[in-house]
Amino acid sequence: MNQPFSQKATSLKIDLERILSLKEKALEEALAPLRFEEALELVLSAPWEKRAELILASPYPEGLVRNLPPVELFFTLKGSSLDLAVELLSYAKGSQIQFLFDFDVWFKDRIRPERVASWIILLFEAGEGRVLEWLAIADWDFVIAMLQKFVKIHKRPDDVELIEAYDFLPPYTLDDVYFVEFKEERLEFYFRRIIELIREEWPETYFALMESLIWELPVEVEERAFRFRNGRLADEGIPDYYTSLEIYTYIHPKRLSKIDPRTLALTGEERAPHTLHLIPYEGPQELFIVKVLSLIQDPFQRERIHQELAWLATKVILVDHPVIDGLEEVKRGLFKMWCHLNLGLEYLTEGNVILARDFLENYYLEEIFRVSGTALRELRKFALSLFQSKDFNPALLKYLDQPYAGYLQGVTVQKLNQVKLFNPVSIGTSEEFTEFSRVSELRMVRGYLEEIAYMAPLLEKGLGPHNNWIKEIFNANRNFDLNSLTWSSIILTSLANYLYNQEFIFRALPKSKWQEVFAKIVEVKDGKTFMKKAIKEGLYESFVKLARTSYYLEEELLKNYLDFVVELWDREFGFADPADPPDPKYQTLILIDLSA
């Protein structure tokens, strides 16, 4: 799909897909004639997963690695196999290596030791030269904070002889003054070598380091390291986690900030580096925003939008995936950015393409993104209110049918950025929950939630408290247990009892009456079995009467839910023979007393 703002622009007259399909020898031959600038442009235009092969097959592997923006190197390493990542890392310069630590080993404002260990091991695999180059420019506070996670320094008291100190101090020392205790034996080699390298290359720094490791408070050092780390990331155009949280703050749709025209790029101004290599939206349906973006032709507007997209994508990834194990988290973050931008734009413009173009040209993308959060916040608020309802016992919500249960689960989450759209056709897969991207999806889920809010008190008032249903389920010789109890099974079991003994009540139907009752419910049309029209109408009339006498009548909500129940029945028994129905033991729409 040709989408605007989804790939790095390239002026090279090269078929990228053909280049990426070449084998090792052919790839080297194809890249050999390229000048360095052309090779770098080609690498930056390629997907992260393919870059390592291009770099290592080119005539300038070291130059290409050292000239990659640090964030692009990070994602290139994440998209490469371990052996290729080590080879790429062997060409990296110290500032790039420090960026890897700054970007990947922090969780919010704390260092994660396991992430530090992973990068340290990779650095040593790439060669001690990389470790030295990093240590030469490394942030002092970060080095102290990092080492405090893995070592503890003991200083020999002045009044204690060396031979005596060996009895109670750790065995490893470089100077008979500072003794090093390694907290993790499997990592001893790496941190021992770091200390040795510092002593060999920077003796004066070594003694200051040892004293700092003894006396500096870990919390204070880590806090200083975090502040300096944020400054370095800001220089690369990357916000910190807490700044990024702004994308989920409330904004009123009518209070968006208009862009000052003076902020647009000036003619001839050097293009600022993008924070991320943006990848296209890969959802099942084309997004409204893609169509609108294709209408924007002004080069300065396109440049502004491209930079805003990269900035926004970075924030989404940092908040939703503060720990990045691979490219999958990055792709999910970019996918979410496209979806929520589309939702916010649709919400503001109601699908008007011309108005939407005006919004993209005159308002900040981050605020349009935040409008989607405002819409989702309202949906989530309504969903959570069901659990505090005084009209019914919230325990009833545990017995919802799908897709009602899934839609409710997707929006009743602890944090706003975790709100998801339930995908009924993908239950049990990684795609079971996806991102909201359209206003129609918001309205659909709201409709399901309103049906839940209406039917829950109606069921409880008309068919008794849910404790009675549970008692009936727990009786012996039932065809299903509490895990299979649903609102539809409560309604259909009550309907079966009404046809059996004129009582609309949730009670197990005797197995001996199953065939008789089943035949009363269904009829065959065009080779398929359906619930009889008269039965459906009787079901509707019964609930209408119940609503009028014990609650209130909301015809559309009531009809929608009962239509769902009937459709569920028709799907379950669409090929059943009325004269020879399936064994009741293996269906869960009607509770059966198997002993009667």
Side-chain angles (χ1 to χ4, degrees):
M1 184 185 297
N2 183 20
Q3 297 189 40
F5 307 102
S6 61
Q7 299 290 342
K8 291 268 184 174
T10 176
S11 59
L12 297 176
K13 296 180 179 179
I14 293 178
D15 186 345
L16 181 59
E17 291 188 10
R18 186 187 69 81
I19 289 288
L20 296 177
S21 66
L22 295 176
K23 299 300 181 183
E24 185 175 350
K25 189 67 176 176
L27 183 60
E28 290 179 2
E29 293 175 355
L31 297 178
L34 295 181
R35 293 181 291 109
F36 174 78
E37 294 80 5
E38 294 173 330
L40 181 60
E41 188 174 352
L42 179 66
V43 167
L44 286 173
S45 67
W48 292 308
E49 300 93 328
K50 301 292 185 180
R51 288 184 182 176
E53 296 174 16
L54 288 176
I55 291 171
L56 298 175
S58 76
Y60 327 100
E62 183 172 4
L64 291 175
V65 170
R66 286 177 169 256
N67 282 276
L68 282 177
V71 71
E72 295 288 0
L73 175 60
F74 171 78
F75 289 121
T76 299
L77 293 172
K78 287 290 184 179
S80 306
S81 61
L82 184 60
D83 56 332
L84 293 180
V86 169
E87 193 168 353
L88 291 178
L89 201 55
S90 69
Y91 296 123
K93 57 188 177 183
S95 58
Q96 290 173 318
I97 295 170
Q98 182 61 53
F99 175 86
L100 300 178
F101 285 107
D102 288 340
F103 194 65
D104 199 45
V105 307
W106 292 83
F107 180 75
K108 299 181 180 178
D109 59 351
R110 288 291 175 261
I111 293 173
R112 296 191 58 167
E114 68 276 12
R115 310 293 287 194
V116 173
S118 298
W119 284 111
I120 291 293
I121 292 170
L122 275 180
L123 268 184
F124 274 96
E125 289 293 322
E128 285 192 359
R130 296 306 97 212
V131 181
L132 275 172
E133 187 161 353
W134 165 59
L135 289 173
I137 61 90
D139 173 53
W140 175 254
D141 288 306
F142 175 75
V143 172
I144 296 172
M146 174 194 73
L147 288 174
Q148 285 180 330
K149 304 287 184 184
F150 297 96
V151 303
K152 184 176 182 180
I153 306 301
H154 302 264
K155 188 175 182 180
R156 178 169 63 88
D158 295 336
D159 58 349
V160 175
E161 294 293 331
L162 179 61
I163 192 69
E164 183 182 347
Y166 282 140
D167 292 336
F168 63 89
L169 291 176
Y172 181 77
T173 179
L174 291 174
D175 51 20
D176 296 335
V177 176
Y178 300 102
F179 292 76
V180 184
E181 176 187 346
F182 297 97
K183 296 180 181 180
E184 291 194 48
E185 185 178 348
R186 65 186 180 88
L187 299 173
E188 177 179 341
F189 166 78
Y190 304 104
F191 290 98
R192 176 167 54 82
R193 281 301 294 151
I194 287 176
I195 293 172
E196 290 170 353
L197 289 171
I198 291 173
R199 189 173 191 271
E200 292 167 7
E201 298 294 326
W202 307 282
E204 294 180 0
T205 300
Y206 164 77
F207 290 105
L209 175 65
M210 293 297 104
E211 290 295 325
S212 295
L213 290 173
I214 293 172
W215 299 109
E216 290 270 23
L217 292 175
V219 173
E220 292 182 358
V221 177
E222 200 165 354
E223 190 174 314
R224 288 201 308 271
F226 179 67
R227 289 202 304 270
F228 288 123
R229 172 254 191 185
N230 288 345
R232 290 190 296 273
L233 289 183
D235 291 340
E236 296 294 334
I238 297 176
D240 65 85
Y241 173 84
Y242 295 101
T243 300
S244 300
L245 286 173
E246 295 171 354
I247 60 174
Y248 291 112
T249 56
Y250 174 82
I251 187 169
H252 194 283
K254 293 185 178 180
R255 295 181 181 174
L256 273 61
S257 306
K258 206 159 190 177
I259 295 174
D260 186 338
R262 291 173 296 181
T263 62
L264 295 179
L266 299 175
T267 304
E269 183 179 347
E270 183 180 351
R271 179 173 174 164
H274 295 150
T275 311
L276 283 176
H277 168 75
L278 296 173
I279 61 175
Y281 165 79
E282 297 177 344
Q285 297 176 331
E286 186 175 11
L287 294 179
F288 173 65
I289 192 173
V290 173
K291 181 179 180 180
V292 179
L293 285 171
S294 66
L295 301 178
I296 298 175
Q297 300 302 323
D298 183 284
F300 302 127
Q301 287 284 5
R302 292 177 68 87
E303 175 62 21
R304 176 192 65 80
I305 290 172
H306 205 153
Q307 294 192 28
E308 280 199 52
L309 283 171
W311 178 252
L312 178 59
T314 304
K315 286 188 171 183
V316 174
I317 293 168
L318 288 175
V319 174
D320 286 15
H321 307 285
V323 177
I324 301 173
D325 292 316
L327 290 184
E328 192 56 39
E329 291 93 343
V330 181
K331 291 179 178 179
R332 287 203 299 269
L334 289 168
F335 177 77
K336 181 174 188 176
M337 178 202 70
W338 285 115
C339 289
H340 283 218
L341 264 179
N342 191 78
L343 175 60
L345 193 62
E346 272 195 15
Y347 190 89
L348 289 165
T349 65
E350 298 182 352
N352 185 312
V353 175
I354 303 302
L355 182 59
R357 183 180 65 180
D358 179 71
F359 264 92
L360 291 181
E361 290 180 340
N362 294 289
Y363 295 92
Y364 293 104
L365 297 188
E366 183 173 318
E367 294 192 353
I368 295 174
F369 180 94
R370 287 168 58 193
V371 168
S372 70
T374 297
L376 292 173
R377 181 181 280 104
E378 290 301 314
L379 182 67
R380 175 171 168 265
K381 181 180 179 181
F382 177 69
L384 290 173
S385 71
L386 299 179
F387 291 91
Q388 281 84 45
S389 176
K390 296 180 179 179
D391 293 333
F392 63 92
N393 188 335
L396 267 67
L397 300 175
K398 293 189 293 185
Y399 310 115
L400 284 168
D401 295 88
Q402 294 290 17
Y404 291 87
Y407 289 128
L408 182 64
Q409 180 185 347
V411 296
T412 50
V413 288
Q414 186 175 5
K415 298 178 181 178
L416 180 64
N417 68 318
Q418 297 171 338
V419 171
K420 291 287 189 291
L421 172 64
F422 177 62
N423 188 4
V425 299
S426 300
I427 292 178
T429 72
S430 60
E431 304 299 322
E432 183 174 352
F433 291 93
T434 187
E435 302 295 342
F436 281 88
S437 62
R438 294 169 177 81
V439 173
S440 60
E441 295 166 348
L442 279 178
R443 291 171 178 162
M444 175 190 67
V445 174
R446 175 76 185 207
Y448 277 101
L449 297 179
E450 288 177 353
E451 288 180 39
I452 294 171
Y454 177 73
M455 290 300 301
L458 186 58
L459 285 176
E460 191 169 42
K461 292 175 186 296
L463 297 175
H466 84 288
N467 289 337
N468 292 348
W469 308 336
I470 295 173
K471 289 177 183 178
E472 185 65 24
I473 284 277
F474 279 148
N475 285 332
N477 299 307
R478 299 298 186 251
N479 60 316
F480 59 80
D481 58 18
L482 193 60
N483 292 325
S484 299
L485 180 66
T486 59
W487 288 10
S488 60
S489 66
I490 293 167
I491 292 172
L492 290 170
T493 300
S494 301
L495 173 64
N497 268 287
Y498 179 77
L499 296 175
Y500 165 54
N501 60 13
Q502 299 299 302
E503 284 187 287
F504 200 82
I505 185 173
F506 181 73
R507 182 183 298 150
L509 180 72
K511 183 180 179 182
S512 59
K513 299 297 180 181
W514 164 247
Q515 183 172 348
E516 175 188 335
V517 170
F518 187 82
K520 289 181 179 180
I521 295 176
V522 301
E523 62 182 351
V524 178
K525 290 182 181 179
D526 301 324
K528 287 197 68 176
T529 303
F530 299 93
M531 183 179 289
K532 290 178 181 177
K533 183 179 179 181
I535 297 295
K536 287 191 287 187
E537 291 175 350
L539 183 63
Y540 294 142
E541 290 172 4
S542 297
F543 268 93
V544 167
K545 182 178 179 181
L546 173 64
R548 284 175 173 161
T549 56
S550 62
Y551 197 38
Y552 70 93
L553 179 61
E554 190 69 59
E555 287 193 42
E556 185 177 356
L557 296 178
L558 179 59
K559 186 176 186 307
N560 286 344
Y561 190 80
L562 293 180
D563 282 346
F564 161 77
V565 173
V566 171
E567 183 182 345
L568 201 62
W569 172 276
D570 289 342
R571 285 204 309 268
E572 179 74 14
F573 298 110
F575 297 97
D577 182 355
D580 185 21
D583 189 334
K585 183 178 180 180
Y586 302 109
Q587 57 81 37
T588 57
L589 290 183
I590 294 181
L591 185 67
I592 303 293
D593 182 354
L594 299 175
S595 65

